[in-house]
């Protein structure tokens, strides 16, 4: 197992709430959290506890009401929208429960697109995309469109797309939630191997306690704070 080293994601005193019709729903109440390079952390909490909100804040998709979020030591609270977009594109990868692959493009093209948006040439993007798909054992299906792939294959392509730009942090929201147990385990192994091989820091929200216990540590949300989880 790779030894965790420098902190690449840090939440410091993060607060966030949503206004409902008749009350304010506090999700985070001064949450602190650190994620280090090469570390896989599971986030386990009941539905509605705020797992997706936490991932959105950590991924700079939303701005917290208070506190600060640091990516590789850089405070992101005062970044402009354009700077936040660049941070997401270059430093953060996302994997969701639903793969969200573009249906009109092949698996290879889906992995190439974020690289080309970043500015890589078509040939360089294609080479890296093929390497990733091969690593995730879906290379022979590279020219197939999503509808022609199994659920496990689609999710492995989604993982390849998420890490195509070599991000520092991977945020995954129920990445195996739609898969059967056998396929779920296989996809997790692929994600785990890729993360450890590259030193990628990964925060994975999951309801699957068996998978959570295979990660480096497990945290949960309790009274608006991020705390260690105990089975």
């Amino acid at each position: 197992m790779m030894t965790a080293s420098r902190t690449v994601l840090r939440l410091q005193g993060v607060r966030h709430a949503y206004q409902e019709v008749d009350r304010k729903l506090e999700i985070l109440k001064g949450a602190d959290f650190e994620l280090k390079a090469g570390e896989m952390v599971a986030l386990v909490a009941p539905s509605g506890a705020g797992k997706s909100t936490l991932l959105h804040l950590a991924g700079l998709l939303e701005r917290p009401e208070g506190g600060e979020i640091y990516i590789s030591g850089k405070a992101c609270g005062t970044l402009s929208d354009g700077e936040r977009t660049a941070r997401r594109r270059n430093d953060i990868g996302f994997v969701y429960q639903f793969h969200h692959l573009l249906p009109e493009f092949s698996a290879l093209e889906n992995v190439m697109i974020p690289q080309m948006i970043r500015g890589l040439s078509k040939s360089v993007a294609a080479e890296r995309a093929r390497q990733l798909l091969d690593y995730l054992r879906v290379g022979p299906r590279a020219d197939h469109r999503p509808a022609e792939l199994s659920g496990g294959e689609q999710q492995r392509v989604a993982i390849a797309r998420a890490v195509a730009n070599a991000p520092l942090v991977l945020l995954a929201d129920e990445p195996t939630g739609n898969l059967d147990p056998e396929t779920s385990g296989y996809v997790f192994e692929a994600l785990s191997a890729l993360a450890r091989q590259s030193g990628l820091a990964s925060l994975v929200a999951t309801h699957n306690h068996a998978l959570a216990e295979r990660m480096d540590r497990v945290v949960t949300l309790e009274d608006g704070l991020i705390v260690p989880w105990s089975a």
Side-chain angles (χ1 to χ4, degrees):
M1 183 180 297
M2 180 177 292
T3 302
S5 52
R6 63 187 179 89
T7 298
V8 293
L9 170 66
R10 180 160 67 96
L11 278 64
Q12 181 177 353
V14 171
R15 303 190 310 276
H16 202 66
Y18 294 109
Q19 185 65 48
E20 294 190 332
V21 175
D22 56 351
R23 67 187 181 115
K24 190 174 185 179
L25 182 62
E26 292 186 279
I27 304 298
L28 298 176
K29 306 175 184 179
D32 297 315
F33 176 71
E34 289 191 1
L35 183 65
K36 297 181 181 295
E39 184 181 31
M40 291 192 75
V41 175
L43 173 61
V44 175
S47 296
K51 296 190 301 297
S52 294
T53 296
L54 173 58
L55 292 177
H56 287 173
L57 293 169
L60 309 183
L61 293 169
E62 296 183 49
R63 293 181 185 269
E65 293 187 349
E68 185 59 274
I69 295 169
Y70 298 86
I71 303 292
S72 197
K74 170 72 173 180
C76 297
T78 59
L79 295 180
S80 68
D81 289 342
E83 290 170 327
R84 289 165 67 86
T85 297
R87 275 278 176 177
R88 287 196 301 271
R89 182 174 61 238
N90 299 333
D91 295 338
I92 304 170
F94 296 91
V95 179
Y96 299 98
Q97 181 173 353
F98 300 99
H99 55 76
H100 297 303
L101 298 174
L102 299 173
E104 66 272 29
F105 295 101
S106 68
L108 182 73
E109 290 167 336
N110 267 278
V111 182
M112 290 172 60
I113 288 171
Q115 300 178 73
M116 295 174 69
I117 290 174
R118 188 175 181 179
L120 271 66
S121 68
K122 185 175 181 179
S123 60
V124 171
E127 176 62 22
R128 175 158 173 78
R130 288 195 184 278
Q131 290 174 353
L132 284 168
L133 293 173
D134 285 342
Y135 185 86
L136 293 167
R137 299 185 187 179
V138 74
R141 310 285 282 168
D143 295 326
H144 290 68
R145 293 185 179 182
E148 301 170 316
L149 303 175
S150 70
E153 289 170 339
Q154 291 171 345
Q155 200 64 322
R156 278 179 279 159
V157 173
I159 291 170
R161 179 184 58 185
V163 301
N165 283 332
L168 299 171
V169 180
L170 180 71
L171 302 173
D173 195 355
E174 298 288 351
T176 63
N178 285 332
L179 306 176
D180 63 78
E182 182 177 355
T183 305
S184 175
Y186 186 84
V187 169
F188 172 78
E189 286 297 335
L191 175 58
S192 177
L194 184 63
R196 299 190 192 288
Q197 184 73 20
S198 63
L200 182 64
S202 307
L203 178 60
V204 182
T206 180
H207 282 109
N208 189 323
H209 291 180
L211 290 185
E213 290 172 354
R214 293 163 64 182
M215 299 189 212
D216 296 311
R217 57 190 172 100
V218 186
V219 298
T220 189
L221 291 166
E222 187 175 294
D223 194 28
L225 301 178
I226 302 169
V227 299
W229 178 76
S230 57

